[in-house]
Amino acid sequence: MGGFSIWHILILAVLVLLLFGGNRFSAMMGDVAKGLKSFKQGLSDEDKPAEPKQIPPQQPIDITPRPAEPTATPPADDQTRQ
């Protein structure tokens, strides 16, 4: 008396289809399936060990002094030329 029979489940299924419509119900179930698939994929990604990043070899630093650049003299004013 307390359990659901096949008729109760069928009537409930028909009411759900009438409320949500066939296309909307199938779209919702597709979204649920995509969510479960991405959840499983996320769990499997966490189990894999992280790949170590490859660090490029370091180049030696050149510390030899450079020759000083010649400094240019500022141009003379027009008043001092005359």
Side-chain angles (χ1 to χ4, degrees):
M1 190 166 188
F4 290 107
S5 69
I6 189 72
W7 295 109
H8 292 107
I9 295 172
L10 287 175
I11 291 171
L12 185 62
V14 169
L15 287 175
V16 168
L17 283 176
L18 288 175
L19 288 175
F20 294 111
N23 291 336
R24 189 170 175 189
F25 186 72
S26 65
M28 283 192 307
M29 293 308 292
D31 291 341
V32 169
K34 287 179 186 177
L36 287 174
K37 184 177 179 180
S38 65
F39 179 73
K40 286 182 180 180
Q41 184 179 9
L43 286 178
S44 67
D45 287 346
E46 289 179 4
D47 292 342
K48 295 179 184 176
E51 295 178 4
K53 293 184 179 181
Q54 294 183 357
I55 301 172
Q58 295 181 351
Q59 300 295 328
I61 299 173
D62 184 20
I63 57 171
T64 56
R66 294 183 182 179
E69 294 181 13
T71 58
T73 57
D77 292 337
D78 289 338
Q79 296 173 351
T80 56
R81 288 188 196 174
Q82 295 175 352

